[in-house]
Amino acid sequence: MEERNRRRCIRSIVADRGVIMKAVSTRRAFLGLLAPVAAASAAELREPTDRFYEGYIGNLIRRLASRPNFLLIDAADGLRARVRGGELFVEERRARREPPDGLIHHWEGAVFVPKVKLAEVIRFVQDYDSHKKVYAPEVVASQTLERKGDDFRVRLRLLKKQILTVVLETEHKVTYRKVDEAKWESISRSTKVTEVDDAGKAKEKELPPGTGNGFVWKLDSFWRFLEGDGGVYLECTSVSLSRDVPFGMGRVIRPIIEELPADSLRNMLAKTRQALRR
C-alpha cells in the first residue's frame, strides 16, 4: 500500500511539472512572438506617404460634399431600417491604392438613438471635456483647448491596445456645420499625433510626430447627424493612416494595424448610443 501511494505521488509530481513546463513554454512562445514586433516597431512617416494620404482625404471631402443622400446608409436598400432597429453598423471601405510605406484605414459606421433630439446630441458630442468619462478606457484624457462658435481645437490622449499597448497624445481641429433644422455635420482633422513612452510615469516622453510604432499617424473623422424616425441617426466616416506591414510580419503586425480602427469606431458608436440613452 505504501509503495502504491509513493508511485501515485511520483506520478502527480511529474504531471504537475508537465503543466508548469507547458506554461513556461507558452510564455516563452508569447514573448518570442512579441520579440519580432519590437524589432520591427520603428517606423517613420515619410513625406510621400503623408502627401498621398492628404490627397485621399481631399478626394473624400469632395465625394461627401456631392453625395446624393445626406446619410450614406440611405444608399443601401434596407440598411437604414436595420440601423433604426438597433444594429450597430460598421463596414470597411478599402482604398483602391495604398500610399507608399503606409496603409489607409477607411471605415463607415452608424447607430440610431431613439427618443433624443438633435440639439441634445450636438451638445453631447461637443462636450469634449467629458469624453474621457464617456469613452474610457480608450480616451484617457480630453480637453477643449479653444472654441469659437462651432469650431473647436481639442486634445485627446488615447490608449490603443491590440497585443501591444500604445498611448497617443493627439490634437484635433473640429468644425461643425448646421445644414438645416434636422441635420448637422462635422469634420475632425488631426493636427498632432505623437506616441508617448512610459505614459503616466515620471520619465514620460512624447516621441516626435511621425515616429514610433507607426500604428496611428493620422486620425480623421467625418460625422453626420440626422433627426428623424423618433430619434437621431449618428453616422461616421473614420479614416486613419498607419505604417505598412513589414515583410514577413503579417501574422503579428496586421491584426494590430487593421483591427484598431474598426474596434475604435465600434466602441465609440456603442458608447455614444449608451450615454445618450440614459
Side-chain angles (χ1 to χ4, degrees):
M1 180 66 70
E2 291 181 0
E3 178 64 20
R4 186 181 302 172
N5 290 338
R6 187 178 68 83
R7 289 178 180 177
R8 286 179 179 173
C9 182
I10 292 173
R11 285 197 297 270
S12 176
I13 292 172
V14 170
D16 290 345
R17 183 176 183 274
V19 171
I20 293 171
M21 292 304 294
K22 184 176 181 181
V24 170
S25 176
T26 300
R27 174 177 171 80
R28 285 175 178 169
F30 179 71
L31 293 176
L33 182 68
L34 291 184
V37 176
S41 63
E44 184 175 351
L45 175 59
R46 297 169 56 242
E47 193 274 336
T49 312
D50 190 24
R51 186 171 64 246
F52 186 103
Y53 177 78
E54 290 302 318
Y56 184 90
I57 291 294
N59 289 332
L60 173 61
I61 291 174
R62 287 188 287 272
R63 290 201 307 271
L64 289 174
S66 62
R67 65 191 183 275
N69 304 298
F70 181 75
L71 294 178
L72 298 181
I73 58 174
D74 284 337
D77 289 342
L79 182 53
R80 180 168 174 166
R82 284 160 44 195
V83 172
R84 185 171 66 248
E87 177 179 335
L88 194 158
F89 170 75
V90 172
E91 191 168 275
E92 185 177 16
R93 302 284 183 258
R94 280 196 174 272
R96 294 180 181 178
R97 294 174 52 231
E98 296 290 0
D101 302 313
L103 293 173
I104 291 175
H105 310 278
H106 182 158
W107 291 81
E108 304 283 354
V111 292
F112 177 72
V113 185
K115 301 179 181 179
V116 295
K117 295 296 183 180
L118 182 57
E120 178 185 353
V121 173
I122 298 302
R123 283 195 301 271
F124 171 81
V125 296
Q126 290 183 345
D127 183 11
Y128 290 100
D129 292 343
S130 297
H131 283 201
K132 57 183 174 288
K133 300 176 183 178
V134 176
Y135 301 108
E138 183 168 357
V139 177
V140 179
S142 62
Q143 180 184 5
T144 299
L145 300 176
E146 183 181 7
R147 178 176 185 176
K148 294 180 180 178
D150 290 316
D151 295 335
F152 294 78
R153 187 167 66 88
V154 302
R155 169 195 171 240
L156 300 173
R157 173 163 287 201
L158 306 175
L159 185 150
K160 303 286 186 179
K161 192 170 185 179
Q162 190 68 260
I163 301 179
L164 298 179
T165 298
V166 178
V167 176
L168 303 172
E169 186 69 23
T170 71
E171 292 184 12
H172 309 259
K173 180 181 178 182
V174 191
T175 300
Y176 288 83
R177 185 176 77 91
K178 181 179 180 179
V179 179
D180 59 35
E181 292 303 318
K183 305 184 192 74
W184 278 70
E185 60 185 4
S186 72
I187 295 178
S188 174
R189 298 295 316 275
S190 58
T191 57
K192 170 186 174 181
V193 178
T194 61
E195 289 189 25
V196 182
D197 278 352
D198 299 310
K201 300 179 181 178
K203 58 180 181 178
E204 172 180 301
K205 176 184 177 182
E206 284 189 36
L207 302 182
T211 64
N213 289 288
F215 296 151
V216 182
W217 277 329
K218 296 289 184 75
L219 190 59
D220 303 314
S221 61
F222 307 82
W223 287 83
R224 279 81 58 192
F225 309 91
L226 183 145
E227 183 173 333
D229 302 324
V232 174
Y233 293 90
L234 295 87
E235 184 180 78
C236 179
T237 298
S238 172
V239 188
S240 58
L241 175 68
S242 76
R243 66 177 300 166
D244 62 352
V245 179
F247 179 76
M249 296 298 299
R251 290 182 61 188
V252 179
I253 296 289
R254 189 171 294 279
I256 302 174
I257 292 176
E258 293 191 346
E259 293 178 18
L260 275 178
D263 289 346
S264 294
L265 182 56
R266 288 190 190 96
N267 289 336
M268 180 174 292
L269 291 170
K271 289 187 176 183
T272 301
R273 178 171 62 183
Q274 180 182 7
L276 287 167
R277 295 183 71 172
R278 288 177 181 171

